[in-house]
Amino acid sequence: PRADALPWAREEVTVSDAETRCPECESDLDLDGYDLDQGESINCPHCSIELRVTNLDPVTVVLPPED
């Protein structure tokens, strides 16, 4: 499923290939070489916010839903 099909996907940020940006601090995230799964949670190494991987080609991350 595409990221736009996920009801909790608020803001997508995609750059190119395996590089994307954190939607919170806008830092480049170099994810090349990481074995990512769609739906996986990762943390931004710059601001430590939790991000959800919503697409793998291209790599896309979003802020998870607020509880």
Side-chain angles (χ1 to χ4, degrees):
R2 295 184 48 92
D4 54 3
L6 301 173
W8 46 260
R10 296 187 298 155
E11 179 183 347
E12 291 183 16
V13 177
T14 304
V15 180
S16 63
D17 297 317
E19 186 175 293
T20 189
R21 284 206 179 112
C22 173
E24 183 72 13
C25 70
E26 298 187 7
S27 295
D28 289 337
L29 303 173
D30 183 10
L31 302 174
D32 192 28
Y34 287 91
D35 185 22
L36 298 172
D37 293 316
Q38 192 167 342
E40 178 177 359
S41 292
I42 61 172
N43 288 76
C44 174
H46 304 282
C47 69
S48 300
I49 193 133
E50 181 182 353
L51 303 169
R52 184 89 33 98
V53 177
T54 58
N55 200 14
L56 298 177
D57 188 21
V59 175
T60 306
V61 297
V62 298
L63 294 170
E66 295 178 16
D67 293 331

